[in-house]
Amino acid sequence: MQNIVAGRIAASTTEFIELALGTPLDLWLGVEGESEMERAAREDAARDILADNPDFPDRVSQVAAQAIEAHAPELFNVTVLPTRRSAGRRQYRGGVAA
């Protein structure tokens, strides 16, 4: 199965996310060993993107949900657990445990 985003085929999960967001993941996650100056510049760029695109957090949530659904659909399988009944518990009734 191919993952197509904006008319391009994503070769990996990372590329799928980057195409869907329109930004590289390193912009948001940082890179190992970056200097304080590089980090500050990266964070400034990220703030500018957020300021220019107020709906970006919603898009990120949507992309994350799509990626999870595509690669780990079992995480969306919700099972309703049975509730506990008090049948096995003793109830206190006016000085005598029932």
Side-chain angles (χ1 to χ4, degrees), residues 24-47:
L25 287 177
D26 292 346
L27 175 68
W28 307 103
L29 303 177
V31 291
E32 191 172 331
E34 70 183 353
S35 69
E36 285 298 316
M37 186 179 291
E38 290 168 326
R39 180 175 165 253
R42 180 180 55 77
E43 290 177 347
D44 283 343
R47 274 190 288 277

Side-chain angles (χ1 to χ4, degrees), residues 11 14 16 42 44 55 64 67 73 76 94:
T14 301
F16 171 84
R42 180 180 55 77
D44 283 343
D55 67 327
F76 283 124

Side-chain angles (χ1 to χ4, degrees), residues 81-89:
L81 299 175
T83 59
R84 289 187 184 188
R85 295 185 180 221
S86 60
R89 296 182 187 169

